[in-house]
Amino acid sequence: MTLQLAFALNTIELDALTEVANIGASRAASSLRSLAGSEVVLSVPSAEILTYDRAAQLMGEGEAGNLVAVHQYFNGEISGAALLIFPETKSLEFVREITGGDLPLEEVIALEHEALAETGNIILNGCLATIANMRHKTLNISLPEVIHGSGPEIFSRAAGSVFEITVLFRCFNFFVRRRAIEGYIAMLLDLSSLHSLRALIQGLILGAPAEPSS
Amino acid sequence: MQHTDSARLKGIFDTVDLGLIVLDEHSRVLDWNGWMESATGKTAGEAFQRQLNEIFDGAVTPRLATAIADAITAGTSSLLSHYLHEAVFPLKSRSGRPLIHNVTVRPLGGLPLRCLVQISDVTNAVERDRVLRERQNARYDAVVDFAPDAILTLDANGVIMLANPAATEAFGYTGKELIELPITKLLDAQPAWDAAWDKLAAGGDMMRPVELVARKKDGTGSFVEISAASWHSEARIFVTAILRDVNERHRAEQALRHLNQTLERRVAERTADRDRMWRLSSDVMLVVQHDGTINASNPAWRDLLGEAEELPHIVWLGDSVVPEDQAKLRAILEELRTSRAHCQFELRHRAHDGAVRWISWSAVAADELLQAVGRDVTAERGAEEALRAAEEALRQSQKMEAIGQLTGGIAHDFNNLLTGILGSLELLETRLAQNRHGDLDRYIGGAKRSATRAAALTHRLLAFSRRQTLDPKPTDMNRLIADMEDLVRRTAGPDIEIWTNLEPGLHSTLVDPNQLENALLNLCINARDAMPDGGRLTITTVNEHLDEKAAREQDIPPGQYVKLGVSDTGSGMTDDVIERAFDPFFTTKPLGEGTGLGLSMVYGFARQSAGQARILSEIGHGTSVQLYLPRHNASITITEEDPELTEIHGTQNGETVLVVDDEPSIRMLVMEVLEDLGCRAAEAHDGASGLTQLQGKGQIDMLVTDVGLPGGINGRQLADAAMQLRPKLKVLFITGYAESTVIGHLKPGMHVLTKPFSMEALADKIQGVLRD
């Protein structure tokens, strides 16, 4: 189910978008480092553009059980929902790492929700702020919310069917003592927002700060 | 209006239970509400136009600065939770308590962007949660931290989330190493666990604990019993497992199993041993019910009685027992029914081929059944029988030896008596020739006395030499001694004085009279031999009561005894000789003069008769041998009358008596006696003619017959035939032989009179038989 979009990004544009995401991720990583008190590396190796349905379906594949997601809305020149998604089974591991790795299980379970929200908030803010800053424009970005469920459930609760397009970033969270916790960063956009994003990327490729469109 | 709204909003701004800070695009404070004044102790005026870092002397987290910068430049909203930030601001409650707070950073308004920082007090909620959690944890920790069993909590992937101290100890990992470790590192792949896990991970429960081999960090195995349950936290499934160290139990079970296995083997071995014993034993083994029904018998039983292997025809023990022992068997079965004690007994069993087998049994009642083990003692009994026969023969030869010793004196005596008879007859003849009839009676009387004495002597000799089996009967010892005295006197010879000192009213004693005679004669001969130069032989009898002490000295039970003493005034014995005097074949006599069996026979006789024999002797003063024989309480039945004292009584009935003898003079004498008795007499000279008369119709009430008869039918055969023909016929055998074998077993109505006999004795006997 290949996406045939008039606005589909070419390889160079995708690479540029990936680069933007990595800039945002490294911002987030520095915040996480100060939070966790140990080395944290976030990397975003790839990005692709998918339809909403395809992306929602892809989320559940290859993963047993539910997913957990932190999502925030953003509003402005580009509007949509941003989600940090990873397997529910990894979420405690994730939180344990953020909190220094020594908390007992009960404590980890108790603060899981807030810690996930804040951690996701940091990562998503990193990416969204990077995009906003490239345009010297602000987006109105909401506070984070944590949701559990299957891929389609999460997508539906985060955005309904308002957004047709998903920009999906593969995302690795490296903590010092552990193997990577693998997840996704998804941006659910409508077509006009995709268009704006593309323009933003093209501007970045041309080496000049993109001018605000008319 | 606007003013009013503005004033109201200002009122709300300062009253709201939230910390509110508005920062300008340079992150400087524009607004600082009442809540913030209270929580920081700094007024809005103090905070105004200053950056937060300044206000709080650098105590603001870098994350807050980033969040504020992002909000102002990019419009992001940020959340700083108290969970991850111990204190975003150094805030205190009014009472001075540290204030736990969450912070959100929001962009505010249009460009240039400002920033709204909101601070919410969650102290109460956090405290409440903390108290609840601590209370819960206290319970939980008390159980988990101090549990002796390893407790692990796993997530749905089987990764360890929590491990208690016992788990670190049990598996050799540190607590940190265990966390995030997959449980499969601890448990070898085992189907029982995999199956259980599939259920647990799906939110189900284990039905029962499973025992598994766990792997410690150092690789060693350990037996654990796992019980586990799943639980839910929001949508997440956890599994808490308790791993109990069952090595000890496992070892015990192993040991028990080993023990059981070896026990089975040992039991099997023992059973095999017993089975072998049952099968191979030459002793008979039976399991018998109380009524004598045989439940089981071993092969030896079948071998002994010659039964077929497969189906023993004897199912009741009594079937194999000879009729004579049936009553004994019943008595024994009854005894075993009531007693738990071992019972030992002998029974005679009839084998399949008709032979009698003696079995010596040992039986005991157990579990409602009798267990009996028997040994074939037929050979032993046969040997005993042979021994008894040998002893019998020995006694007989001993007797003959004594007779041999008597012969000299007897011959001399006999000659004297014959001389007396012949002399009297010669004198009678002379007087008759001289026609001198005056003194005839004297000579006839003299001859008759001598003949009577000679007859008594031969009778005594024959009686003595008669072969008889042991037959204890009540015996008057005084009378027996009196009968023997003449024989003793002649045996002892003229140089030895015979004294008797017999107690009047002597108790009767239960002995075999023949044996007693034999013993007495032996003792007298010994006494005689001890007095080669003459002396005095004293025979004494006395009643003696032995009390406990005396009886113990004599080694016999206490009670009433008759004591027989034979004393001499001879050379006496040394103690050494006394000690051995009762030993068989011990003799002080020259070779050829004695067998050395005399005294040992006397001793044996005394002991067999439940009595005792003792020797008292002093060198140069003589010897006394004393026999203690137990008193018999029944009165003595006199079986034989003194023939010289009997009177002749005629019969009034005129019975007819048939006399059969090949010696005409005896027939004549008997016929004359019969006629004197008033009987009618018929005669026959041999068995055949006697039988002819008996077959005839004439009256015959009694048969008097010699045993040895010519003509093919002896006296016994004649008598048997006669009693067939005439069941009421009385029979009297007259015989010169005392051999009972010649006559055989006497039937009722049969009597014996031994030759020689006086006419008076004959008449008396005939009368007695007819009256019987």
Side-chain angles (χ1 to χ4, degrees):
Chain A
M1 185 169 141
T2 320
L3 183 69
Q4 298 295 328
L5 290 171
F7 324 94
L9 275 64
N10 63 31
T11 311
I12 293 170
E13 288 165 345
L14 280 178
D15 281 350
L17 186 57
T18 306
E19 184 59 31
V20 170
N22 273 311
I23 292 166
S26 64
R27 282 169 64 108
S30 102
S31 289
L32 291 177
R33 260 197 301 278
S34 67
L35 208 56
S38 63
E39 190 61 45
V40 179
V41 175
L42 286 178
S43 97
V44 181
S46 68
E48 56 185 320
I49 310 290
L50 300 168
T51 63
Y52 173 93
D53 291 336
R54 171 66 189 135
Q57 190 189 352
L58 188 66
M59 287 301 98
E61 281 177 11
E63 286 293 342
N66 280 345
L67 301 173
V68 62
V70 181
H71 90 106
Q72 294 179 229
Y73 295 112
F74 52 94
N75 228 325
E77 205 170 330
I78 305 171
S79 293
L83 294 99
L84 174 70
I85 305 165
F86 49 90
E88 200 173 48
T89 52
K90 299 289 183 193
S91 102
L92 286 183
E93 206 177 316
F94 193 89
V95 171
R96 200 195 289 278
E97 289 308 323
I98 290 296
T99 54
D102 290 329
L103 286 179
L105 178 66
E106 291 71 29
E107 298 291 325
V108 174
I109 290 173
L111 59 79
E112 179 191 5
H113 197 85
E114 276 78 2
L116 267 182
E118 184 167 345
T119 310
N121 180 222
I122 290 167
I123 293 169
L124 294 176
N125 277 359
C127 293
L128 295 173
T130 302
I131 292 167
N133 288 346
M134 284 189 306
R135 296 279 294 170
H136 301 295
K137 290 275 179 74
T138 61
L139 297 168
N140 192 356
I141 304 171
S142 76
L143 282 170
E145 188 183 348
V146 177
I147 42 180
H148 293 263
S150 65
E153 278 167 3
I154 285 173
F155 270 42
S156 157
R157 282 171 63 183
S161 53
V162 174
F163 307 112
E164 303 94 332
I165 302 299
T166 301
V167 182
L168 196 63
F169 301 93
R170 202 164 286 273
C171 168
F172 289 98
N173 301 277
F174 291 102
F175 298 97
V176 154
R177 300 177 308 160
R178 305 280 163 181
R179 59 186 170 81
I181 295 171
E182 192 179 346
Y184 296 98
I185 294 169
M187 291 177 70
L188 308 184
L189 306 170
D190 57 19
L191 280 174
S192 69
S193 291
L194 179 64
H195 182 75
S196 300
L197 184 63
R198 192 182 183 193
L200 189 152
I201 297 298
Q202 281 169 342
L204 193 67
I205 293 166
L206 292 172
E211 290 302 315
S213 58
S214 56
Chain B
M1 186 71 191
Q2 228 174 13
H3 175 76
T4 314
D5 286 348
S6 177
R8 189 164 67 244
L9 287 173
K10 174 66 179 155
I12 292 168
F13 184 74
D14 282 332
T15 311
V16 74
D17 287 326
L18 277 175
L20 295 174
I21 306 167
V22 179
L23 302 174
D24 66 13
E25 67 269 30
H26 304 294
S27 305
R28 287 186 304 233
V29 172
L30 287 177
D31 295 303
W32 184 267
N33 75 348
W35 189 94
M36 284 304 296
E37 287 183 336
S38 161
T40 61
K42 298 178 194 304
T43 64
E46 286 168 332
F48 186 67
Q49 288 295 323
R50 296 174 73 193
Q51 292 202 332
L52 294 174
N53 222 9
E54 294 174 62
I55 297 168
F56 293 107
D57 296 332
V60 176
T61 63
R63 160 95 172 104
L64 180 65
T66 309
I68 290 167
D70 283 352
I72 292 166
T73 59
T76 61
S77 299
S78 291
L79 169 71
L80 285 82
S81 119
H82 72 274
Y83 288 107
L84 300 184
H85 308 273
E86 199 175 328
V88 179
F89 300 105
L91 303 177
K92 295 246 191 299
S93 72
R94 285 188 181 81
S95 65
R97 216 150 41 92
L99 212 146
I100 301 168
H101 52 278
N102 287 341
V103 176
T104 56
V105 180
R106 304 290 310 269
L108 187 67
L111 286 172
L113 274 174
R114 294 176 182 173
C115 175
L116 175 65
V117 178
Q118 303 173 62
I119 299 145
S120 55
D121 176 6
V122 292
T123 307
N124 286 337
V126 168
E127 280 298 306
R128 191 183 63 235
D129 282 354
R130 189 182 58 78
V131 167
L132 279 174
R133 195 157 56 241
E134 275 178 1
R135 199 165 64 197
Q136 196 178 0
N137 286 355
R139 289 195 202 122
Y140 184 79
D141 292 349
V143 174
V144 171
D145 288 353
F146 296 100
D149 297 332
I151 299 177
L152 300 174
T153 295
L154 316 172
D155 68 11
N157 285 345
V159 174
I160 296 172
M161 293 281 123
L162 177 109
N164 72 341
T168 67
E169 203 166 308
F171 299 108
Y173 290 92
T174 65
K176 280 201 171 184
E177 285 170 330
L178 276 176
I179 303 302
E180 308 286 328
L181 198 68
I183 183 89
T184 48
K185 290 267 188 195
L186 298 181
L187 302 177
D188 291 357
Q190 287 156 105
W193 171 247
D194 294 346
W197 176 252
D198 288 345
K199 272 193 189 167
L200 289 164
D205 283 324
M206 277 173 84
M207 286 302 124
R208 61 180 65 83
V210 293
E211 191 177 307
L212 299 170
V213 179
R215 201 55 63 187
K216 294 185 184 181
K217 192 183 181 186
D218 63 9
T220 57
S222 174
F223 289 100
V224 293
E225 183 188 78
I226 301 188
S227 348
S230 59
W231 51 280
H232 295 253
S233 172
E234 293 182 85
R236 191 173 285 113
I237 290 168
F238 291 96
V239 173
T240 293
I242 298 174
L243 292 81
R244 173 160 293 174
D245 182 333
V246 291
N247 288 300
E248 198 60 43
R249 191 178 78 190
H250 206 80
R251 271 193 291 277
E253 280 171 359
Q254 286 284 55
L256 189 64
R257 196 173 303 129
H258 177 72
L259 202 66
N260 274 338
Q261 279 162 356
T262 56
L263 182 67
E264 274 169 28
R265 199 186 68 234
R266 287 204 302 268
V267 166
E269 280 170 3
R270 273 187 208 173
T271 308
D273 283 350
R274 292 201 185 152
D275 189 49
R276 252 195 306 282
M277 199 182 288
W278 174 266
R279 280 187 292 109
L280 301 181
S281 171
S282 61
D283 285 348
V284 174
M285 299 183 187
L286 295 180
V287 180
V288 180
Q289 295 174 19
H290 277 295
D291 63 359
T293 305
I294 297 173
N295 278 15
S297 61
N298 72 339
W301 169 251
R302 295 189 285 274
D303 294 346
L304 186 64
L305 298 189
E307 282 187 62
E309 177 78 23
E310 292 309 321
L311 287 169
H313 76 278
I314 297 171
V315 291
W316 183 60
L317 184 57
D319 287 343
S320 71
V321 174
V322 299
E324 298 91 313
D325 284 357
Q326 291 288 352
K328 185 178 177 184
L329 172 64
R330 277 194 297 277
I332 288 161
L333 287 174
E334 186 55 36
E335 186 186 334
L336 282 166
R337 185 200 303 279
T338 53
S339 160
R340 284 258 166 242
H342 262 273
C343 189
Q344 308 230 342
F345 52 93
E346 279 186 14
L347 289 172
R348 282 171 289 177
H349 296 260
R350 182 74 64 185
H352 216 48
D353 59 7
V356 170
R357 315 296 304 183
W358 281 89
I359 300 182
S360 169
W361 290 101
S362 174
V364 67
D367 299 338
E368 299 301 312
L369 288 171
L370 305 179
Q371 314 284 334
V373 177
R375 196 162 49 81
D376 180 10
V377 293
T378 309
E380 282 93 320
R381 292 296 163 270
E384 280 171 17
E385 202 57 46
L387 182 63
R388 204 156 31 237
E391 280 173 355
E392 184 72 21
L394 188 59
R395 271 199 298 276
Q396 185 66 14
S397 69
Q398 184 72 8
K399 255 185 334 195
M400 297 326 275
E401 184 190 339
I403 288 166
Q405 296 204 27
L406 291 171
T407 313
I410 300 283
H412 176 78
D413 261 328
F414 222 83
N415 281 338
N416 281 347
L417 294 169
L418 287 174
T419 306
I421 295 165
L422 285 170
S424 296
L425 288 174
E426 278 167 20
L427 284 170
L428 191 62
E429 191 177 31
T430 307
R431 293 292 179 266
L432 284 172
Q434 294 167 344
N435 266 335
R436 287 167 62 183
H437 299 278
D439 294 327
L440 289 184
D441 282 354
R442 195 155 58 92
Y443 302 125
I444 292 168
K448 205 173 155 185
R449 272 196 302 279
S450 292
T452 306
R453 283 175 59 193
L457 194 57
T458 54
H459 180 81
R460 180 60 59 193
L461 273 174
L462 283 167
F464 183 70
S465 63
R466 198 181 301 143
R467 188 187 296 271
Q468 282 174 325
T469 51
L470 275 173
D471 182 14
K473 57 181 85 163
T475 304
D476 177 353
M477 198 184 288
N478 282 353
R479 183 191 174 94
L480 183 138
I481 291 166
D483 287 350
M484 291 282 290
E485 194 180 339
D486 201 29
L487 190 63
V488 169
R489 202 175 295 281
R490 285 171 208 288
T491 306
D495 294 334
I496 293 172
E497 242 182 306
I498 309 290
W499 286 16
T500 56
N501 186 5
L502 308 180
E503 175 160 331
L506 188 72
H507 298 315
S508 115
T509 180
L510 189 72
V511 295
D512 177 16
N514 282 296
Q515 283 279 54
L516 181 57
E517 285 177 0
N518 197 355
L520 181 61
L521 199 61
N522 260 298
L523 293 175
C524 290
I525 290 166
N526 279 347
R528 180 197 69 185
D529 294 347
M531 301 181 289
D533 302 325
R536 191 171 64 241
L537 190 158
T538 310
I539 301 171
T540 56
T541 59
V542 62
N543 289 329
E544 285 224 353
H545 176 78
L546 297 185
D547 60 18
E548 284 282 351
K549 187 179 167 216
R552 201 159 43 245
E553 278 168 12
Q554 297 296 350
D555 188 25
I556 44 179
Q560 299 274 4
Y561 286 86
V562 173
K563 185 168 84 175
L564 167 66
V566 175
S567 312
D568 64 54
T569 55
S571 48
M573 298 177 181
T574 63
D575 286 349
D576 182 41
V577 172
I578 292 171
E579 201 167 292
R580 300 174 59 196
F582 289 135
D583 291 355
F585 303 108
F586 177 78
T587 180
T588 55
K589 294 174 187 174
L591 191 66
E593 287 189 21
T595 58
L597 288 170
L599 273 178
S600 85
M601 298 281 285
V602 169
Y603 179 76
F605 159 68
R607 296 304 283 171
Q608 278 175 30
S609 305
Q612 183 60 284
R614 285 282 178 258
I615 299 174
L616 306 172
S617 184
E618 206 174 326
I619 292 289
H621 289 88
T623 302
S624 175
V625 179
Q626 297 176 334
L627 300 188
Y628 290 87
L629 296 168
R631 175 185 175 173
H632 180 67
N633 286 320
S635 62
I636 298 170
T637 34
I638 306 300
T639 50
E640 214 173 337
E641 294 284 318
D642 188 332
E644 298 203 46
L645 297 177
T646 34
E647 307 241 339
I648 298 174
H649 305 282
T651 75
Q652 267 79 50
N653 302 332
E655 290 94 344
T656 302
V657 178
L658 175 64
V659 182
V660 184
D661 201 313
D662 58 333
E663 181 57 45
S665 60
I666 291 181
R667 280 207 308 276
M668 184 191 73
L669 279 167
V670 175
M671 302 266 288
E672 284 192 16
V673 168
L674 287 168
E675 275 162 26
D676 285 350
L677 289 172
C679 296
R680 284 188 296 277
E683 58 179 325
H685 66 279
D686 60 11
S689 56
L691 188 58
T692 308
Q693 294 200 34
L694 286 161
Q695 286 165 340
K697 297 220 184 307
Q699 181 193 353
I700 299 174
D701 302 299
M702 182 175 178
L703 171 66
V704 177
T705 178
D706 193 3
V707 175
L709 290 174
I713 301 176
N714 70 24
R716 174 63 201 242
Q717 290 163 334
L718 177 64
D720 284 343
M723 287 182 89
Q724 286 277 324
L725 296 165
R726 300 166 185 261
K728 288 182 178 172
L729 186 73
K730 306 283 174 46
V731 175
L732 176 66
F733 295 107
I734 48 174
T735 174
Y737 303 100
E739 296 281 354
S740 60
T741 49
V742 176
I743 304 173
H745 177 69
L746 291 181
K747 292 181 184 169
M750 288 183 173
H751 303 268
V752 180
L753 186 64
T754 312
K755 293 176 187 172
F757 45 78
S758 69
M759 292 307 111
E760 291 89 342
L762 177 63
D764 191 47
K765 190 74 181 179
I766 289 168
Q767 278 189 304
V769 171
L770 284 172
R771 246 185 270 123
D772 185 16

